[in-house]
């Protein structure tokens, strides 16, 4: 009897430890030098339906040699092209099989967890994103917070620029997005946000727009400005940074930037945005007429004044407030007009109606896109000036 | 399941079987014939060695035959000459019929005296450095205490150097050590209880405690365990520690040790018990809690804010020392996604072309470090430093330059190694735990580390140091006791004794200044 109890106990201990160690653990050990770190993904069209994948991976040998090279600061160790990245290109085909093919070809497994950006070529975006997103959503290595962008021109060209400050284009793009978001010239869209909007059929997504421009000193510049407008999951056109900020005002997502307000021909003032809020309200009338009211609030500082000589402080502030409010109102109107033009409800008016007045929404849902141009807009912006800067004498500034 | 393992451990944990002190050898008693007594003494001790036998006669008409026996080098010869032999030779009143008490009285100025009536006890006394005086016609020997041997003077301890604080350290001499503690605590309630352990070494051991502070139960426990030690040799406190600890197989020692009288006095005042052992400059203190590993005497001598900062730093260092290599291996082989991209790329570039995998790289460097440490430790100091320079510079730098290991792992191992020196009291457990964690990280990644940490916590909370929980005041948590764990509260705030061991006199004084 005692023996059986002892045996039972030993078996219990054995199985407990067995379970603890073997049924649960972090799976799949791989050495750091057996994988290639994907930092950016570009998707370009090749045939009618298929895509061509460009993977930007960090290049390993180059700096390792120069960091270990004990001679002359690695100068003799420059590799052929001196780049810190390689763009791997696969053949036309389904995305996953391309990834695997690259794996075979280069001997290192692409590792997607450190990916910064997925860039869709506009042509691809026009075909609709859903079918191409499937791989990224299904694959366990994709991070949900990776940036999704639309490129004017080939995505692989965007990924092969040679940035001056960063070593890797994908990192440059990441920094640019952060910068542009802080200036409200564009908005960064993460994969998770895109998917949420695609899943919610009553709101259309916007994606960050990226394009390559030739710069002055024979260097290529990547600019991130404005947004790509989608109808459902299909790219329909783009909006510039004015309309982009209008969209951000309406959503209360403006993070910063400058409002340049021309008061009249001679005078001009710049207000630096500090704190903002925005609210959108939608009303559906008895006769199914939709009216939208957007209220935006902004607190800012005076950044620059021109042509206000001899005007009192209070008057200047009043003028600046009015001027800046008008700019904001115009921006929101611009966004709204674009929404009507592309028949894309990226402002989420339909979504608002569905959540607040579901019955009406079911009635008007069918012809909603054609109703968009007819929606009445009422915009009100309010600007407060906090500080007027380091100088307070507006006339005769110290010379 | 843990209780099962615990019982297994505790089974091994019975500190020595009950000693059967009743010796079977029949004692040889002293006789009235001095020649027979000397013969039996020489029979036991042998001849032609360091035993000195000086025969002389004294008393009325030199009628009393006497002999002084002592061991060369253990006894003060001058004292024997001046205070015993010369004194007796001067006398001419004693004869064979006088009382031995009279002689004892006559020699009272020579030192502490007692009588022995068996050859064994006489030999025992001689081996401790006393002189034995035999008289013809008496069946008792007069033992006179005149121990004197070469000893090291009180000097600064090597193991616990301080910037501020007393610099004296314990020596190998038992009585000196006791006196050093006595000089710190001039209280009659500081009790010293002597016992002799070791059948052959007959090592003197003293249990020191402050009667109205220390928990009587713990004092009894320790005394009981000491008495039960059945061994023939005690050469260092380490022997005793392993005999009386609750969990001798644990990698954590639940008995503290110190080389500094001020530390010993501090522990005694906290309600702990000190064990002084003859022949070693280390004094044991018990019970020892986990938090004590992170305390040093200097914490209490510097300001409380700086003291607290340093203490927190020690905790952090302890964790770095154990977990840094494991976390590196887990992150770089399992969880690359957790490393910031730019750091990851730098790390990956450093690993590029390295032949070993991250785990073996870390293991090789760790073993190299342990070898270097051991080599530097055992060699004479001057050579030891050369070893560390060769090891650190040549092995570290050259290994990276040659591409055997990545530069990241050198940084990680160096960090872990330096951090392990911050908590010197736990250097044993750190070395072992670091390897265990490394293995777990290699096999199971971050999950393995979490598992290992959990196991470590379970083990720590199971440990007991002489009936006190080893994690005491952290778990079970006591808010009041926390003021000397992660931080060192100002002196005025530390007005109560928080050690679970301290039962009596909890008040340390109202904590008023001045």
């Amino acid at each position: 009897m005692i023996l059986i109890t002892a045996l039972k106990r030993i078996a219990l201990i054995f199985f407990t430890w067995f379970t603890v160690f073997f049924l649960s653990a972090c799976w799949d050990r791989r050495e750091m030098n057996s994988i290639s770190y994907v930092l950016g993904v570009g998707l370009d069209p090749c045939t009618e339906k298929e895509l061509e994948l460009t993977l930007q991976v960090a290049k390993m040998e180059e700096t390792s040699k120069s960091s270990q090279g004990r001679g002359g600061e690695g100068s003799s160790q420059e590799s052929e092209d001196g780049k810190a990245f390689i763009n791997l290109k696969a053949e036309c085909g389904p995305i996953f099989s391309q990834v695997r093919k690259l794996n075979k070809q280069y001997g290192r497994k692409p590792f997607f967890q450190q990916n910064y950006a997925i860039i869709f070529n506009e042509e691809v975006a026009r075909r609709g994103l859903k079918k191409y997103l499937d791989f990224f959503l299904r694959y366990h290595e994709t991070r949900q917070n990776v940036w999704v962008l639309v490129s004017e021109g080939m995505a692989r060209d965007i990924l092969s620029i040679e940035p001056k400050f960063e070593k890797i284009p994908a990192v440059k793009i990441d920094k640019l997005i952060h910068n542009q978001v802080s200036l409200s010239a564009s908005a960064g869209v993460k994969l998770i946000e895109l998917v949420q909007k695609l899943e919610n059929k009553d709101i259309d997504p916007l994606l960050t727009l990226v394009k390559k421009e030739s710069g002055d000193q024979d260097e290529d510049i990547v600019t991130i400005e404005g947004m790509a407008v989608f109808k459902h999951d299909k790219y329909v056109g783009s909006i510039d940074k004015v309309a982009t900020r209008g969209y951000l005002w309406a959503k209360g997502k403006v993070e910063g930037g400058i409002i340049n307000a021309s008061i009249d021909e001679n005078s001009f003032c710049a207000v630096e945005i500090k704190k903002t809020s925005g609210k959108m309200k939608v009303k559906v009338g008895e006769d199914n007429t939709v009216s939208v009211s957007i209220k935006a609030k902004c607190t800012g500082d005076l950044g620059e004044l021109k042509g206000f000589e001899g005007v009192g402080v209070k008057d200047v502030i009043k003028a600046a407030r009015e001027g800046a409010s008008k700019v904001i109102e115009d921006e929101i109107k611009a966004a709204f007009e674009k929404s009507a033009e592309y028949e894309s409800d990226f402002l989420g008016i339909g979504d608002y109606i569905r959540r607040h007045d579901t019955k009406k929404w079911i009635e008007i849902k069918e012809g909603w896109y054609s109703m968009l141009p007819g929606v009445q807009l009422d915009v009100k912006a309010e600007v407060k000036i906090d500080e007027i800067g380091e100088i307070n004498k507006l006339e005769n500034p110290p010379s | 399941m843990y209780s099962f393992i615990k019982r297994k451990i505790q089974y091994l944990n019975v500190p020595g079987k009950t000693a059967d002190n009743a010796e079977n050898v029949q004692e040889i008693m002293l006789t009235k014939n001095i020649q027979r007594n000397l013969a039996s003494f020489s029979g036991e001790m042998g001849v032609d060695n360091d035993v000195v036998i000086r025969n002389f006669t004294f008393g009325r008409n030199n009628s009393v035959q006497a002999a002084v026996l002592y061991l060369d080098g253990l006894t003060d010869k001058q004292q024997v000459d001046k205070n015993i032999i010369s004194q007796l030779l001067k006398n001419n009143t004693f004869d064979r019929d006088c009382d031995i008490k009279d002689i004892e009285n006559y020699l009272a100025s020579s030192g502490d005296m007692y009588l022995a009536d068996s050859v064994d006890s006489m030999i025992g006394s001689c081996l401790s450095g006393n002189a034995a005086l035999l008289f013809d016609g008496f069946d008792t020997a007069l033992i006179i205490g005149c121990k004197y041997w070469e000893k090291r003077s009180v000097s600064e301890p090597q193991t616990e150097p301080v910037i501020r604080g007393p610099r004296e350290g314990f020596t190998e001499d038992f009585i000196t050590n006791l006196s050093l503690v006595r000089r710190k605590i001039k209280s009659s309630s500081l009790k010293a209880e002597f016992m002799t352990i070791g059948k052959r070494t007959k090592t003197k051991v003293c249990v020191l405690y402050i009667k109205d502070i220390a928990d009587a139960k713990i004092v009894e426990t320790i005394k009981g365990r000491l008495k039960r030690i059945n061994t023939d040799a005690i050469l260092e406190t380490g022997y005793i520690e392993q005999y009386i600890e609750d969990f001798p197989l644990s990698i954590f020692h639940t008995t503290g040790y110190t080389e500094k009288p001020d530390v010993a006095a501090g522990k005694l005042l906290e309600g702990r018990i000190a064990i002084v052992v003859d022949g070693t400059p280390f004094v044991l203190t018990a019970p020892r809690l986990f938090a004590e590993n992170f305390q040093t005497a200097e914490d209490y001598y510097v300001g409380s804010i700086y003291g607290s900062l340093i203490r927190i730093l020690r905790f952090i260092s302890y964790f770095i020392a154990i977990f840094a290599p494991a976390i590196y291996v887990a992150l770089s082989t399992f969880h690359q996604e957790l490393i910031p991209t730019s750091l990851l790329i730098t790390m990956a570039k450093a690993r590029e072309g390295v032949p070993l995998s991250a785990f073996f790289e870390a293991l090789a460097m760790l073993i190299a470090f342990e070898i270097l440490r051991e080599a530097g430790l055992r060699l004479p100091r001057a050579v030891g430093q050369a070893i560390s320079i060769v090891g650190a510079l040549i092995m570290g730098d050259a290994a990276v330059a040659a591409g055997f290991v990545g530069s990241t792992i050198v940084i990680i191992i160096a960090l872990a190694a330096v951090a392990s020196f911050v908590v010197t009291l736990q250097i044993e457990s750190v070395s072992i735990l670091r390897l265990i964690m490394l293995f777990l990280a290699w096999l199971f990644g971050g999950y393995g580390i979490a598992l290992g940490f959990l196991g470590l916590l379970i083990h720590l909370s199971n440990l007991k140091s002489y009936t006190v929980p080893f994690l005491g005041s952290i778990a079970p948590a006591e808010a009041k006791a926390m003021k000397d764990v992660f931080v060192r509260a100002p002196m005025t705030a530390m007005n109560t004794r928080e050690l679970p061991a301290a039962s009596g006199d909890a008040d340390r004084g109202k904590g008023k200044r001045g």
Side-chain angles (χ1 to χ4, degrees), chain A residues 9 13 17 20-21 24 26 29-33 35 37 39 59-60 63-64 108 113-114 116 143, chain B residues 1 4 332-337 339 341 344 347-349 351-352 357-358 397 442 444 447 451:
Chain A
R9 187 163 285 154
I13 292 167
W17 284 105
V20 162
F21 278 113
S24 54
C26 305
R29 179 175 67 242
R30 40 191 176 190
E31 289 296 326
M32 284 174 105
N33 45 11
I35 46 184
Y37 302 96
L39 299 172
K59 191 160 148 191
M60 289 303 159
T63 27
S64 89
R108 289 192 178 202
Q113 301 248 35
Q114 299 278 354
Y116 277 112
R143 284 202 167 179
Chain B
M1 187 176 70
F4 176 74
S332 70
T333 55
F334 285 95
H335 317 291
Q336 287 97 346
E337 66 275 10
I339 311 172
T341 314
L344 177 72
M347 279 167 70
K349 277 176 179 169
R351 294 256 320 114
E352 202 58 39
S357 70
D397 198 40
W442 171 48
F444 307 110
Y447 174 73
L451 216 62

Side-chain angles (χ1 to χ4, degrees), chain A residues 63-350:
Chain A
T63 27
S64 89
K65 270 185 200 154
S66 63
S67 71
Q68 286 171 13
R70 307 169 61 77
E73 284 146 25
S75 53
S76 59
Q77 307 284 354
E78 285 280 302
S79 70
E80 324 85 74
D81 52 359
K83 282 179 186 167
F85 63 93
I86 314 171
N87 285 343
L88 308 178
K89 281 179 199 115
E91 293 156 26
C92 232
I95 299 176
F96 199 18
S97 63
Q98 287 190 60
V99 172
R100 283 285 170 267
K101 226 177 259 173
L102 286 172
N103 187 5
K104 248 192 275 173
Q105 205 171 327
Y106 292 95
R108 289 192 178 202
K109 192 166 179 276
F111 180 72
F112 281 88
Q113 301 248 35
Q114 299 278 354
N115 191 5
Y116 277 112
I118 300 171
I119 305 172
F120 285 97
N121 170 262
E122 53 184 331
E123 202 37 55
V124 177
R126 253 180 246 285
R127 296 179 193 170
L129 293 179
K130 270 187 184 170
K131 51 189 167 191
Y132 301 123
L133 278 175
D134 188 83
F135 162 74
F136 294 103
L137 295 174
R138 212 169 283 282
Y139 198 50
H140 67 277
E141 271 181 12
T142 312
R143 284 202 167 179
Q144 301 294 302
N145 62 355
V146 55
W147 300 121
V148 185
L149 301 97
V150 170
S151 71
E152 284 182 6
M154 285 300 184
R156 70 171 82 97
D157 294 339
I158 305 276
L159 285 175
S160 49
I161 51 152
E162 283 174 43
K164 284 268 144 118
F165 288 112
E166 311 302 329
K167 283 182 187 152
I168 296 163
V171 178
K172 169 89 179 176
I173 288 167
D174 177 59
K175 295 232 160 128
L176 270 178
I177 292 175
H178 281 294
N179 187 46
Q180 295 298 74
V181 166
S182 72
L183 292 177
S184 305
S186 185
V189 181
K190 291 177 174 164
L191 181 61
I192 184 80
E193 293 168 37
L194 173 66
V195 172
Q196 277 166 356
K197 284 188 181 168
L198 287 176
E199 281 300 302
N200 179 353
K201 292 189 174 55
D202 306 319
I203 189 164
D204 290 313
L206 287 178
L207 285 185
T208 320
L209 196 64
V210 59
K211 58 190 162 211
K212 183 174 154 184
E213 283 168 3
S214 19
D216 303 332
Q217 300 144 347
D218 62 31
E219 65 160 326
D220 295 326
I221 327 171
V222 165
T223 31
I224 286 177
E225 207 174 79
M227 304 289 280
V229 181
F230 280 76
K231 187 171 181 178
H232 301 305
D233 68 333
K234 289 188 175 65
Y235 175 58
V236 286
S238 64
I239 55 174
D240 60 359
K241 65 175 179 181
V242 175
T244 301
R245 197 155 79 182
Y247 158 77
L248 292 170
W249 283 120
K251 289 278 159 193
K253 281 186 189 163
V254 174
E255 285 188 14
I258 295 166
I259 303 169
N260 285 325
S262 309
I263 311 301
D264 54 50
E265 281 154 39
N266 300 321
S267 48
F268 152 89
C269 78
V271 176
E272 193 187 357
I273 302 166
K274 277 173 77 185
K275 234 167 44 183
T276 65
S277 66
K279 229 179 184 176
M280 183 173 79
K281 271 187 184 164
V282 184
K283 264 188 192 158
V284 187
E286 287 297 314
D287 51 346
N288 288 350
T289 50
V290 180
S291 60
V292 178
S293 82
I294 295 172
K295 270 185 194 152
K297 275 184 192 169
C298 169
T299 314
D301 296 345
L302 279 185
E304 195 183 349
L305 291 176
K306 219 161 67 185
F308 280 98
E309 285 78 11
V311 186
V313 178
K314 277 187 180 172
D315 293 332
V316 172
I317 289 175
K318 194 171 170 241
R321 287 179 65 174
E322 280 168 4
S325 306
K326 195 168 173 302
V327 172
I328 293 172
E329 282 166 15
D330 287 347
E331 282 173 351
I332 297 170
K333 275 176 196 156
F336 195 78
E337 276 163 23
K338 283 287 176 189
S339 171
E341 183 191 325
Y342 290 126
E343 292 194 345
S344 158
D345 185 12
F346 57 78
L347 285 166
I349 302 168

Side-chain angles (χ1 to χ4, degrees), chain B residues 46-277:
Chain B
V47 281
D48 293 340
N49 50 15
D50 54 350
V51 178
V52 179
I53 304 177
R54 293 172 69 178
N55 292 300
F56 61 98
T57 53
F58 72 101
R60 192 182 298 154
N61 307 326
N62 283 352
S63 58
V64 188
Q65 216 183 341
V68 179
L69 313 170
Y70 61 88
L71 286 164
D72 206 4
L74 290 180
T75 310
D76 189 353
K77 273 183 209 170
Q78 284 192 342
Q79 211 191 334
V80 172
D81 287 345
K82 236 165 80 185
N83 294 350
I84 305 173
I85 301 180
S86 304
Q87 287 288 322
L88 285 173
L89 288 177
K90 270 187 224 161
N91 179 282
N92 50 12
T93 54
F94 290 119
D95 57 22
R96 290 176 58 114
D97 303 323
C98 66
D99 195 349
I100 195 144
K101 289 277 174 199
D102 292 334
I103 304 178
E104 192 181 343
N105 205 26
Y106 178 74
L107 288 175
S109 65
S110 328
D112 49 326
M113 272 181 278
Y114 58 95
L115 296 169
D117 54 2
S118 77
V119 176
D120 285 327
S121 66
M122 191 174 82
I123 289 172
S125 314
C126 284
L127 287 172
S128 317
N130 297 318
L133 198 50
L134 281 171
F135 306 102
D136 195 28
F138 294 89
D139 58 357
T140 40
L142 192 59
I143 311 292
I144 301 161
C146 40
K147 294 175 197 172
Y148 181 80
W149 50 75
E150 291 304 320
K151 54 192 175 195
R152 192 163 63 94
S153 61
V154 173
S155 57
E156 193 176 347
Q158 301 287 326
T159 53
E160 293 164 81
V162 288
I163 296 167
R164 185 173 174 186
R167 303 207 187 280
E168 60 185 5
F170 288 121
T171 70
E172 282 75 9
D173 187 56
F174 183 65
I175 295 298
T176 312
N177 291 353
L178 269 184
S179 70
L180 285 172
V181 178
R182 282 265 188 218
R183 265 168 49 200
K184 301 269 177 206
I185 306 168
K186 299 173 193 74
S187 161
S188 62
S189 57
L190 176 64
K191 302 292 175 198
E193 293 185 20
F194 288 65
M195 52 181 79
T196 309
I197 305 175
K199 264 185 248 152
R200 287 187 198 282
T201 58
K202 302 246 185 319
T203 312
K204 269 201 262 174
V205 173
C206 168
V207 179
L208 268 177
Y209 59 94
I210 298 177
K211 207 184 171 195
D212 46 4
I213 301 175
D215 189 343
K217 222 173 71 193
I218 297 172
V219 177
E220 281 316 309
T221 311
I222 288 176
K223 281 200 292 195
R225 287 184 190 175
L226 282 173
K227 272 176 199 147
R228 274 188 293 163
I229 296 176
N230 180 18
T231 179
D232 65 343
I234 296 289
L235 294 180
E236 217 281 322
T237 45
Y239 283 50
I240 291 189
E241 188 181 331
Q242 290 169 51
Y243 277 117
I244 63 173
E245 264 181 6
D246 300 56
F247 295 87
L249 291 186
S250 170
I251 56 168
F252 291 97
H253 290 297
T254 51
T255 317
Y257 60 85
T258 179
E259 219 181 330
K260 287 167 63 63
D262 56 323
V263 176
K267 305 272 185 212
L268 283 169
L269 287 167
E270 281 168 7
R272 291 189 169 82
I273 290 135
I275 302 169
V276 187
V277 176

